[in-house]
Amino acid sequence: MSTAIELDAIDRRILRALQHDGRMTYDELSGQVGLSASAALRRVKRLEEAGVIARYVAVVPPERVGLGLTAVINVRLEKHTEGHQRTPMEAFRAGVQAWPEVVECVALTGEMDYLLTVVVADMQHYSRFIMDTLLKHPAVQDVKTSFVLERIKSASAVPV
């Protein structure tokens, strides 16, 4: 895991502004954070090089592109045995990377091993994903699904 870098108040203002609008110009950014455009550019480049700003993306609400069903799936893997070439965890993590329906996968403590956030068009699409992909993966032992009824808060920004 990467270590955090020291951020001053201006770095934090830059990050808050860019998380709100990653397409703003350096002139607009400089006005918001109280620096010249060239100083703002230098700060942003330093934050990018340090990995504090990992990338710039467009935020696409799933329902606006025909993905009207979001499922949160708890996944338990089979236990590792000596005969495996790769551990179930390694095989599962590799599989998840190839599944476009999975928009987030986190490892958990507790009874289940992973939590997946999956976006699909509808229940038929979900059923195909579960039956043809997730449950057919050799490392998967058990899944439990909850469906999102309403998105109360969905933030891509972190509190800096």
Side-chain angles (χ1 to χ4, degrees):
M1 187 175 262
S2 302
T3 58
I5 70 162
E6 194 71 30
L7 300 173
D8 64 17
I10 293 173
D11 291 331
R12 291 179 187 283
R13 285 197 304 267
I14 288 171
L15 292 172
R16 283 192 296 271
L18 290 176
Q19 285 185 115
H20 179 72
D21 181 4
R23 293 183 65 172
M24 73 173 53
T25 67
Y26 288 108
D27 285 334
E28 293 168 328
L29 179 61
S30 67
Q32 285 193 28
V33 301
L35 293 175
S36 69
S38 61
L41 171 62
R42 282 192 301 275
R43 290 275 190 136
V44 170
K45 293 298 179 199
R46 182 179 61 80
L47 292 167
E48 290 170 347
E49 289 167 4
V52 175
I53 298 174
R55 63 188 177 166
Y56 298 89
V57 299
V59 177
V60 179
E63 53 281 348
R64 299 291 292 202
V65 294
L67 299 170
L69 185 63
T70 300
V72 180
I73 306 172
N74 284 283
V75 178
R76 183 182 309 127
L77 302 184
E78 69 178 26
K79 298 305 171 208
H80 176 69
T81 61
E82 291 298 318
H84 285 103
Q85 297 290 342
R86 283 197 314 191
T87 68
M89 184 187 328
E90 291 168 338
F92 181 76
R93 287 176 179 223
V96 164
Q97 299 303 318
W99 302 335
E101 295 90 348
V102 177
V103 296
E104 183 175 36
C105 174
V106 295
L108 301 174
T109 62
E111 184 181 330
M112 300 303 260
D113 297 310
Y114 291 94
L115 184 70
L116 307 180
T117 302
V118 172
V119 292
V120 291
D122 52 27
M123 190 58 78
Q124 290 172 330
H125 187 175
Y126 167 77
S127 180
R128 282 192 312 274
F129 173 75
I130 287 292
M131 302 304 276
D132 299 342
T133 303
L134 189 57
L135 290 177
K136 284 191 176 176
H137 193 283
V140 173
Q141 180 183 25
D142 186 30
V143 300
K144 292 184 172 102
T145 301
S146 296
F147 293 101
V148 173
L149 298 176
E150 181 181 7
R151 217 174 296 281
I152 308 303
K153 180 178 181 180
S154 180
S156 60
V158 296
V160 291

